[in-house]
C-alpha cells in the first residue's frame, strides 16, 4: 500500500515568490495534516483537515499561507509571498479516523524541503 | 503549555542498549507515540502507549507511566542504522479533538 506522497521533495525560491506543495494521503484516510519542521525541532501543526473541512488552522499564518483539500483527498499548501524565515521542511501526514472521535496513528510523507533565498 | 521534554543528543555503542526518556504534562493526556526520523526523511511510526507498562516490538520497547508523565524508548542490540532522531509525541484531548504534540527529538548516534 502506498504511503503519504508529497511533491516536490525540494524547492528553492527567492523571497517574495509564491510556492505550493502537494500531498496525497494514504487511501481511505479521512484526516490530513500539514506540519512545519525546523532543523532540530519536532513537527509543529499548521492545519488539520477532516475530509475537505479545515477543522484546526489556528497555527497557520493566514496572511501568507493558504491550504485547500477540495475533494477531501489530496491537498495543497501555498505560501505567497515567501519570506526567508519560511525555510523549513513541510510535512504532510494522514490518519484513518476523524480526529474529533479517535486518536489514530499519524503517518507522514517524506516532506518538502523549502529554501528561501 | 504541553511541554514535552527529551534529551537533545545521546551516543551509544553498536550492540549495546540505550534508553531515551521523555516527560510530558499529564493534563488531557490520551496516548503517547514514538517516531524515528532519519536525517532528511519522514518521521516513521515506532510505537504507542495508552496504558501503563511496557510495549515490546522486536528490538524496540516503549514504557509509559501516566501518573508520572513519563515514558522511555528502549533500543536493544543497537545497529548503526539506528542512528536517527527519536521523537516523543503526545496526543492530548481537548476542545473536542485529539491533537498531537511533538517533543524536539533526541538525536541518537550509534558508534562502532
Amino acid at each position: 500500500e502506498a504511503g503519504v506522497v508529497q511533491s516536490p521533495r525540494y524547492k528553492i525560491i527567492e523571497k517574495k515568490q509564491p510556492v505550493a506543495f502537494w500531498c496525497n494521503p494514504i487511501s481511505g484516510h479521512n484526516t490530513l495534516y500539514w506540519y512545519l519542521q525546523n532543523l532540530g525541532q519536532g513537527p509543529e501543526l499548521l492545519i488539520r483537515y477532516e475530509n475537505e473541512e479545515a477543522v484546526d488552522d489556528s497555527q497557520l499564518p493566514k496572511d501568507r499561507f493558504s491550504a485547500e483539500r477540495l475533494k477531501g483527498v489530496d491537498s495543497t499548501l501555498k505560501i505567497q509571498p515567501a519570506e526567508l524565515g519560511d525555510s523549513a521542511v513541510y510535512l504532510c501526514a494522514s490518519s484513518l479516523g476523524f480526529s474529533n472521535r479517535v486518536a489514530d496513528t499519524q503517518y507522514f510523507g517524506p516532506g518538502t524541503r523549502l529554501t528561501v533565498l | 503549555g504541553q511541554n514535552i521534554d527529551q534529551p537533545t543528543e545521546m551516543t551509544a555503542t553498536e550492540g549495546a542498549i540505550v534508553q531515551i526518556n521523555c516527560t510530558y504534562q499529564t493534563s488531557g493526556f490520551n496516548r503517547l507515540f514514538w517516531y524515528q526520523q532519519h536525517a532528511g526523511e519522514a518521521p516513521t511510526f515506532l510505537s504507542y502507549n495508552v496504558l501503563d507498562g511496557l510495549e515490546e516490538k522486536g528490538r524496540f520497547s516503549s514504557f509509559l507511566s501516566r501518573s508520572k508523565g513519563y515514558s522511555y524508548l528502549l533500543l536493544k542490540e543497537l545497529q548503526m542504522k539506528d542512528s536517527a532522531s527519536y521523537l516523543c509525541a503526545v496526543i492530548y484531548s481537548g476542545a473536542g479533538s485529539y491533537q498531537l504534540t511533538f517533543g524536539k527529538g533526541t538525536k541518537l548516534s550509534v558508534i562502532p
Side-chain angles (χ1 to χ4, degrees), chain A:
Chain A
E1 180 182 333
V4 177
V5 179
Q6 290 188 249
S7 68
R9 290 295 312 277
Y10 304 91
K11 190 73 177 178
I12 301 174
I13 61 172
E14 294 189 347
K15 64 181 180 181
K16 300 186 182 180
Q17 294 300 306
V19 65
F21 315 124
W22 177 80
C23 171
N24 188 263
I26 293 173
S27 178
H29 279 197
N30 293 297
T31 305
L32 182 146
Y33 313 78
W34 283 102
Y35 287 87
L36 177 152
Q37 186 175 27
N38 287 303
L39 190 63
Q41 304 291 315
E44 299 173 22
L45 182 69
L46 289 173
I47 189 168
R48 172 167 54 95
Y49 281 92
E50 292 176 358
N51 288 333
E52 65 276 6
E53 182 182 0
V55 296
D56 183 359
D57 62 356
S58 58
Q59 301 303 311
L60 192 72
K62 299 180 185 61
D63 57 334
R64 297 184 300 106
F65 285 64
S66 64
E68 60 184 15
R69 193 186 184 199
L70 292 176
K71 297 182 179 179
V73 181
D74 54 352
S75 174
T76 56
L77 177 69
K78 298 178 182 177
I79 308 175
Q80 183 171 10
E83 297 179 352
L84 294 176
D86 296 331
S87 295
V89 176
Y90 292 82
L91 294 165
C92 179
S94 69
S95 62
L96 180 60
F98 293 102
S99 55
N100 63 339
R101 300 178 203 167
V102 292
D104 279 338
T105 300
Q106 295 182 26
Y107 296 91
F108 286 80
T112 297
R113 182 176 296 275
L114 174 68
T115 302
V116 182
L117 303 176

Side-chain angles (χ1 to χ4, degrees), chain B residues 53-72:
Chain B
L54 190 67
E55 294 285 340
E56 297 188 72
K57 265 186 160 184
R59 294 189 299 114
F60 293 5
S61 303
S62 57
F63 172 83
L64 178 68
S65 169
R66 290 173 296 170
S67 63
K68 294 182 180 179
Y70 168 70
S71 172
Y72 67 73

Side-chain angles (χ1 to χ4, degrees), chain B residues 66-82:
Chain B
R66 290 173 296 170
S67 63
K68 294 182 180 179
Y70 168 70
S71 172
Y72 67 73
L73 179 69
L74 193 70
L75 291 74
K76 304 175 185 176
E77 302 170 12
L78 279 172
Q79 302 175 8
M80 299 300 290
K81 67 179 182 179
D82 296 330

